[in-house]
Amino acid sequence: MDILRTITYQPTGHNKMCEQTLNKPCEFRRKRSEDPTHAAPEMSRIITDPTTGKCYCRGKVLGKGGFAKCYELTDLSTNKVYAAKIIPHSRVAKPHQREKIDREIELHRALHHRHIVHFYHHFEDKENIYILLEYCSRRSLAHILKARKVLTEPEVRYYLRQIVSGLKYLHEQEILHRDLKLGNFFINDTMDLKVGDFGLAAKLEPLENRRRTICGTPNYLSPEVLNKQGHGCESDVWALGCVMYTMLLGRPPFETTNLKETYRCIREARYTVPSSLSVHARQLVASMLSKNPEDRPSLDEIVRHDFFTQGFTPERLPPSCCHSAPDFHLSSPAKNFFKKAAAALFGGKKEKAKYYDNLGKFAKDDEEIYKLRHDLKKTSISQQSQKLKTEDESKPPATIEGKPGVLVKENSQQIRDTIRMIVRGTLGSCSSSSECLEDSTMGCVADGVGRVLRGCLESMPEADAFPKEQMNSSFQWVTKWVDYSNKYGFGYQLSDHTVGVLFNNGTHMSLLSDKKTVHYYAELGQCSVFSTAEAPEQFINQVTILKYFAHYMEENLMDGGDLPSIMDKSKPRLYLLQWLKSDRALMMLFNDGTFQVNFYHDHTKIIICNQNEEYLLTYINEDRISTTFRLATLLASGCSVDLRNRMEYALNMLLQRCN
């Protein structure tokens, strides 16, 4: 925890500095008054507030700073845990040192905002000063970035919005933070960000009276601070630009091997931006890192920038983001995206033009999308549903229940009851097992996978670990998915970059990796092939929706594992037969028997496929690392309890697919 690691310094003639110092606060100029060979007395585990009589138990060290250490501190009467900044009196013996601590306490205790670390209490005894602060169990953004290396743009938007919210509150209180960096942004148990460490914070002064002391962390200092022109709100915005750059690319923009060169780059606002960074991200970083403070955006202008308005921001991040990249499959971002898409497609001319101008990412051959004038309710999806009703009267009906958004009129029970699901399981689960048509191709596929998996689980011995015998394999699997069945259907991307949509009427459409060829399945095994440019009129709207799914997943979702993909052209094309969601996992069953289950809470995955007449099981762990076994090997050797539990859950989902 870097909450304490900052101190003001006055630079003199020192030019040399080791590389690792550049990302640490400027404490290298501080002189230690105590004898380093003299060990400090051991601090008591039980600490008593002499004023209130409350007792606290000191726990593990959270961080170290120039003056103090930060510990977990538990109130023994309430069990409430605090982050306690403990400062020995011996370290603040000089008047100016004690004044600094008192100033920090006075400033911090008056702050109350959801994105500011909360100040609870302070007291002191004969040995130490104790400052009790809000405990953030997930440490800081610095720890997250150390584990992750880089963050995704949706995560960066999520964190930046909260930083800006807290920073705006500070500036409204006429307070400058003056040491914004990843180590001073703390994350609590619910993944809320809190701005902390006010050791260098100061009141905003008029221009002529501004502080001209150089303080902060070298890599995040602004040109005007280095040039001793004083601190203003613009200096915090500069540091925020450095923070954004660091989150996206894993290193600060002005990082070099020595302090002198770093300062030269900062004064010249000279840094490099790789082409991998999105256009909007580059533009926002460039504006915040403008050499002239007056050219930098205000905090309100930052959150109105296209980087925020043209990309989705998650409402909440899962705790797994602290150590692994998120899998943005939740429906809320998708809903926002498709809501805009639908408005552009089927709204008025102004909405179409505005959306097209803002999006700016589709290829020119997609411009025809924006010329569509059909009402979505009259699209081929609904038309084909009506057609199915009249053509298949001789077949027993399959009632669709429990899912919103089927594209038929709500008040027509007869239509709703007679719609056929040509590709079984369109909406994830049927109403009862009797309607699953077990003699269909889908039933045969599911039965085959189920028998093999059940046989393995019933005969597999108990074991504590994975078998030693593992193998390399390549097959198609789902790397990304979007559930938008309340309007259109279920979309997914395969590892060869084919995108498929299982529409709400039971038809299936795939956009191949060339982004030009479409495969359309109206019945199992019967495929129609056409290009996106020459789609039959009755399929134009479905192709449009398919493209939106493809674009959304390409721009916003990350791949779910490290498996390679080698397309075997001798095998039939993979397409989805059925999907099912529970409160714990997503199940997907494909035409060739490939069976995949994604677990939400830790992003682990199980994939079962048949290759060369042999069933294989691949397990992708929470770090997105895959391991493949023969089911025969698991049958003989067993596997870990964790994997067995997932296999049992997957089998139950397969058995319940029509319940």
Side-chain angles (χ1 to χ4, degrees), residues 549-568:
F549 271 99
H551 177 74
Y552 174 79
M553 287 186 282
E554 180 67 28
E555 291 296 314
N556 297 292
L557 304 186
M558 293 189 64
D559 287 340
D562 65 339
L563 280 169
S565 173
I566 301 175
M567 185 60 190
D568 187 348

PDB file of all heavy atoms in Angstrom, residues 549-568:
ATOM      1  N   PHE A 549     -23.579  -7.683 -33.945  1.00  0.00           N
ATOM      2  CA  PHE A 549     -23.011  -8.614 -32.973  1.00  0.00           C
ATOM      3  C   PHE A 549     -21.497  -8.745 -33.188  1.00  0.00           C
ATOM      4  O   PHE A 549     -20.714  -8.702 -32.239  1.00  0.00           O
ATOM      5  CB  PHE A 549     -23.661  -9.992 -33.108  1.00  0.00           C
ATOM      6  CG  PHE A 549     -24.891 -10.187 -32.268  1.00  0.00           C
ATOM      7  CD1 PHE A 549     -26.153 -10.057 -32.805  1.00  0.00           C
ATOM      8  CD2 PHE A 549     -24.781 -10.528 -30.924  1.00  0.00           C
ATOM      9  CE1 PHE A 549     -27.294 -10.250 -32.042  1.00  0.00           C
ATOM     10  CE2 PHE A 549     -25.908 -10.727 -30.145  1.00  0.00           C
ATOM     11  CZ  PHE A 549     -27.168 -10.585 -30.702  1.00  0.00           C
ATOM     12  N   ALA A 550     -21.107  -8.928 -34.439  1.00  0.00           N
ATOM     13  CA  ALA A 550     -19.679  -9.106 -34.753  1.00  0.00           C
ATOM     14  C   ALA A 550     -18.877  -7.883 -34.340  1.00  0.00           C
ATOM     15  O   ALA A 550     -17.810  -7.999 -33.728  1.00  0.00           O
ATOM     16  CB  ALA A 550     -19.509  -9.382 -36.252  1.00  0.00           C
ATOM     17  N   HIS A 551     -19.396  -6.695 -34.677  1.00  0.00           N
ATOM     18  CA  HIS A 551     -18.675  -5.465 -34.355  1.00  0.00           C
ATOM     19  C   HIS A 551     -18.585  -5.266 -32.842  1.00  0.00           C
ATOM     20  O   HIS A 551     -17.532  -4.903 -32.316  1.00  0.00           O
ATOM     21  CB  HIS A 551     -19.382  -4.273 -34.991  1.00  0.00           C
ATOM     22  CG  HIS A 551     -18.755  -2.951 -34.650  1.00  0.00           C
ATOM     23  ND1 HIS A 551     -17.568  -2.545 -35.208  1.00  0.00           N
ATOM     24  CD2 HIS A 551     -19.118  -1.966 -33.797  1.00  0.00           C
ATOM     25  CE1 HIS A 551     -17.242  -1.358 -34.719  1.00  0.00           C
ATOM     26  NE2 HIS A 551     -18.176  -0.995 -33.854  1.00  0.00           N
ATOM     27  N   TYR A 552     -19.677  -5.527 -32.157  1.00  0.00           N
ATOM     28  CA  TYR A 552     -19.684  -5.338 -30.708  1.00  0.00           C
ATOM     29  C   TYR A 552     -18.658  -6.237 -30.023  1.00  0.00           C
ATOM     30  O   TYR A 552     -17.872  -5.794 -29.178  1.00  0.00           O
ATOM     31  CB  TYR A 552     -21.077  -5.631 -30.142  1.00  0.00           C
ATOM     32  CG  TYR A 552     -21.108  -5.581 -28.636  1.00  0.00           C
ATOM     33  CD1 TYR A 552     -21.150  -4.371 -27.961  1.00  0.00           C
ATOM     34  CD2 TYR A 552     -21.058  -6.748 -27.891  1.00  0.00           C
ATOM     35  CE1 TYR A 552     -21.149  -4.326 -26.581  1.00  0.00           C
ATOM     36  CE2 TYR A 552     -21.060  -6.711 -26.512  1.00  0.00           C
ATOM     37  CZ  TYR A 552     -21.114  -5.499 -25.864  1.00  0.00           C
ATOM     38  OH  TYR A 552     -21.103  -5.455 -24.498  1.00  0.00           O
ATOM     39  N   MET A 553     -18.630  -7.508 -30.393  1.00  0.00           N
ATOM     40  CA  MET A 553     -17.694  -8.440 -29.751  1.00  0.00           C
ATOM     41  C   MET A 553     -16.251  -8.121 -30.104  1.00  0.00           C
ATOM     42  O   MET A 553     -15.356  -8.253 -29.274  1.00  0.00           O
ATOM     43  CB  MET A 553     -18.059  -9.877 -30.129  1.00  0.00           C
ATOM     44  CG  MET A 553     -19.329 -10.364 -29.436  1.00  0.00           C
ATOM     45  SD  MET A 553     -19.706 -12.118 -29.705  1.00  0.00           S
ATOM     46  CE  MET A 553     -20.403 -12.060 -31.348  1.00  0.00           C
ATOM     47  N   GLU A 554     -16.033  -7.693 -31.335  1.00  0.00           N
ATOM     48  CA  GLU A 554     -14.670  -7.345 -31.760  1.00  0.00           C
ATOM     49  C   GLU A 554     -14.141  -6.152 -30.977  1.00  0.00           C
ATOM     50  O   GLU A 554     -12.976  -6.119 -30.559  1.00  0.00           O
ATOM     51  CB  GLU A 554     -14.652  -7.038 -33.255  1.00  0.00           C
ATOM     52  CG  GLU A 554     -13.276  -6.671 -33.806  1.00  0.00           C
ATOM     53  CD  GLU A 554     -12.304  -7.831 -33.780  1.00  0.00           C
ATOM     54  OE1 GLU A 554     -12.756  -8.991 -33.848  1.00  0.00           O
ATOM     55  OE2 GLU A 554     -11.095  -7.584 -33.684  1.00  0.00           O
ATOM     56  N   GLU A 555     -14.994  -5.159 -30.736  1.00  0.00           N
ATOM     57  CA  GLU A 555     -14.557  -3.918 -30.107  1.00  0.00           C
ATOM     58  C   GLU A 555     -14.517  -3.988 -28.587  1.00  0.00           C
ATOM     59  O   GLU A 555     -13.724  -3.300 -27.952  1.00  0.00           O
ATOM     60  CB  GLU A 555     -15.491  -2.771 -30.525  1.00  0.00           C
ATOM     61  CG  GLU A 555     -15.375  -2.380 -31.986  1.00  0.00           C
ATOM     62  CD  GLU A 555     -14.004  -1.828 -32.321  1.00  0.00           C
ATOM     63  OE1 GLU A 555     -13.511  -0.987 -31.564  1.00  0.00           O
ATOM     64  OE2 GLU A 555     -13.421  -2.260 -33.323  1.00  0.00           O
ATOM     65  N   ASN A 556     -15.358  -4.805 -27.981  1.00  0.00           N
ATOM     66  CA  ASN A 556     -15.559  -4.686 -26.544  1.00  0.00           C
ATOM     67  C   ASN A 556     -15.237  -5.919 -25.714  1.00  0.00           C
ATOM     68  O   ASN A 556     -15.117  -5.805 -24.492  1.00  0.00           O
ATOM     69  CB  ASN A 556     -17.019  -4.290 -26.257  1.00  0.00           C
ATOM     70  CG  ASN A 556     -17.360  -2.946 -26.840  1.00  0.00           C
ATOM     71  OD1 ASN A 556     -16.867  -1.928 -26.395  1.00  0.00           O
ATOM     72  ND2 ASN A 556     -18.204  -2.945 -27.856  1.00  0.00           N
ATOM     73  N   LEU A 557     -15.112  -7.081 -26.327  1.00  0.00           N
ATOM     74  CA  LEU A 557     -14.911  -8.293 -25.540  1.00  0.00           C
ATOM     75  C   LEU A 557     -13.519  -8.866 -25.770  1.00  0.00           C
ATOM     76  O   LEU A 557     -12.941  -8.745 -26.843  1.00  0.00           O
ATOM     77  CB  LEU A 557     -15.960  -9.343 -25.891  1.00  0.00           C
ATOM     78  CG  LEU A 557     -17.426  -8.914 -25.750  1.00  0.00           C
ATOM     79  CD1 LEU A 557     -18.344 -10.099 -25.986  1.00  0.00           C
ATOM     80  CD2 LEU A 557     -17.697  -8.297 -24.394  1.00  0.00           C
ATOM     81  N   MET A 558     -13.004  -9.505 -24.718  1.00  0.00           N
ATOM     82  CA  MET A 558     -11.692 -10.138 -24.796  1.00  0.00           C
ATOM     83  C   MET A 558     -11.856 -11.636 -25.010  1.00  0.00           C
ATOM     84  O   MET A 558     -12.838 -12.240 -24.579  1.00  0.00           O
ATOM     85  CB  MET A 558     -10.904  -9.895 -23.508  1.00  0.00           C
ATOM     86  CG  MET A 558     -10.518  -8.448 -23.277  1.00  0.00           C
ATOM     87  SD  MET A 558      -9.387  -8.302 -21.889  1.00  0.00           S
ATOM     88  CE  MET A 558      -7.974  -9.223 -22.515  1.00  0.00           C
ATOM     89  N   ASP A 559     -10.844 -12.255 -25.647  1.00  0.00           N
ATOM     90  CA  ASP A 559     -10.851 -13.701 -25.807  1.00  0.00           C
ATOM     91  C   ASP A 559     -10.789 -14.364 -24.438  1.00  0.00           C
ATOM     92  O   ASP A 559     -10.175 -13.849 -23.504  1.00  0.00           O
ATOM     93  CB  ASP A 559      -9.662 -14.160 -26.653  1.00  0.00           C
ATOM     94  CG  ASP A 559      -9.845 -13.803 -28.123  1.00  0.00           C
ATOM     95  OD1 ASP A 559     -10.999 -13.568 -28.518  1.00  0.00           O
ATOM     96  OD2 ASP A 559      -8.848 -13.767 -28.861  1.00  0.00           O
ATOM     97  N   GLY A 560     -11.396 -15.546 -24.348  1.00  0.00           N
ATOM     98  CA  GLY A 560     -11.523 -16.190 -23.047  1.00  0.00           C
ATOM     99  C   GLY A 560     -10.463 -17.212 -22.715  1.00  0.00           C
ATOM    100  O   GLY A 560     -10.599 -17.935 -21.733  1.00  0.00           O
ATOM    101  N   GLY A 561      -9.388 -17.335 -23.512  1.00  0.00           N
ATOM    102  CA  GLY A 561      -8.364 -18.318 -23.198  1.00  0.00           C
ATOM    103  C   GLY A 561      -7.231 -18.299 -24.195  1.00  0.00           C
ATOM    104  O   GLY A 561      -7.196 -17.499 -25.118  1.00  0.00           O
ATOM    105  N   ASP A 562      -6.298 -19.249 -24.003  1.00  0.00           N
ATOM    106  CA  ASP A 562      -5.063 -19.248 -24.792  1.00  0.00           C
ATOM    107  C   ASP A 562      -5.020 -20.352 -25.842  1.00  0.00           C
ATOM    108  O   ASP A 562      -3.976 -20.615 -26.415  1.00  0.00           O
ATOM    109  CB  ASP A 562      -3.857 -19.400 -23.856  1.00  0.00           C
ATOM    110  CG  ASP A 562      -3.839 -20.756 -23.145  1.00  0.00           C
ATOM    111  OD1 ASP A 562      -4.915 -21.389 -23.058  1.00  0.00           O
ATOM    112  OD2 ASP A 562      -2.757 -21.171 -22.675  1.00  0.00           O
ATOM    113  N   LEU A 563      -6.144 -21.024 -26.103  1.00  0.00           N
ATOM    114  CA  LEU A 563      -6.133 -22.135 -27.050  1.00  0.00           C
ATOM    115  C   LEU A 563      -5.869 -21.654 -28.470  1.00  0.00           C
ATOM    116  O   LEU A 563      -6.485 -20.691 -28.918  1.00  0.00           O
ATOM    117  CB  LEU A 563      -7.472 -22.863 -27.021  1.00  0.00           C
ATOM    118  CG  LEU A 563      -7.702 -23.858 -25.885  1.00  0.00           C
ATOM    119  CD1 LEU A 563      -9.152 -24.275 -25.864  1.00  0.00           C
ATOM    120  CD2 LEU A 563      -6.817 -25.074 -26.062  1.00  0.00           C
ATOM    121  N   PRO A 564      -4.982 -22.336 -29.210  1.00  0.00           N
ATOM    122  CA  PRO A 564      -4.807 -21.988 -30.624  1.00  0.00           C
ATOM    123  C   PRO A 564      -5.984 -22.489 -31.437  1.00  0.00           C
ATOM    124  O   PRO A 564      -6.753 -23.336 -30.996  1.00  0.00           O
ATOM    125  CB  PRO A 564      -3.518 -22.735 -31.009  1.00  0.00           C
ATOM    126  CG  PRO A 564      -3.511 -23.921 -30.093  1.00  0.00           C
ATOM    127  CD  PRO A 564      -4.120 -23.444 -28.791  1.00  0.00           C
ATOM    128  N   SER A 565      -6.119 -21.964 -32.643  1.00  0.00           N
ATOM    129  CA  SER A 565      -7.220 -22.383 -33.508  1.00  0.00           C
ATOM    130  C   SER A 565      -6.677 -22.762 -34.875  1.00  0.00           C
ATOM    131  O   SER A 565      -6.038 -21.959 -35.538  1.00  0.00           O
ATOM    132  CB  SER A 565      -8.252 -21.258 -33.644  1.00  0.00           C
ATOM    133  OG  SER A 565      -9.224 -21.613 -34.591  1.00  0.00           O
ATOM    134  N   ILE A 566      -6.904 -24.014 -35.267  1.00  0.00           N
ATOM    135  CA  ILE A 566      -6.530 -24.476 -36.603  1.00  0.00           C
ATOM    136  C   ILE A 566      -7.783 -25.063 -37.229  1.00  0.00           C
ATOM    137  O   ILE A 566      -8.335 -26.047 -36.749  1.00  0.00           O
ATOM    138  CB  ILE A 566      -5.409 -25.531 -36.544  1.00  0.00           C
ATOM    139  CG1 ILE A 566      -4.169 -24.940 -35.857  1.00  0.00           C
ATOM    140  CG2 ILE A 566      -5.078 -26.030 -37.936  1.00  0.00           C
ATOM    141  CD1 ILE A 566      -3.062 -25.944 -35.654  1.00  0.00           C
ATOM    142  N   MET A 567      -8.246 -24.450 -38.291  1.00  0.00           N
ATOM    143  CA  MET A 567      -9.504 -24.877 -38.909  1.00  0.00           C
ATOM    144  C   MET A 567      -9.263 -26.087 -39.799  1.00  0.00           C
ATOM    145  O   MET A 567      -8.444 -26.050 -40.714  1.00  0.00           O
ATOM    146  CB  MET A 567     -10.095 -23.733 -39.722  1.00  0.00           C
ATOM    147  CG  MET A 567     -11.459 -24.045 -40.297  1.00  0.00           C
ATOM    148  SD  MET A 567     -12.660 -24.404 -39.006  1.00  0.00           S
ATOM    149  CE  MET A 567     -14.009 -25.019 -40.011  1.00  0.00           C
ATOM    150  N   ASP A 568      -9.942 -27.168 -39.489  1.00  0.00           N
ATOM    151  CA  ASP A 568      -9.883 -28.373 -40.310  1.00  0.00           C
ATOM    152  C   ASP A 568     -10.996 -28.286 -41.351  1.00  0.00           C
ATOM    153  O   ASP A 568     -12.176 -28.445 -41.047  1.00  0.00           O
ATOM    154  CB  ASP A 568     -10.063 -29.608 -39.426  1.00  0.00           C
ATOM    155  CG  ASP A 568      -9.845 -30.904 -40.210  1.00  0.00           C
ATOM    156  OD1 ASP A 568      -9.784 -30.839 -41.459  1.00  0.00           O
ATOM    157  OD2 ASP A 568      -9.747 -31.968 -39.576  1.00  0.00           O
TER     158      ASP A 568
END
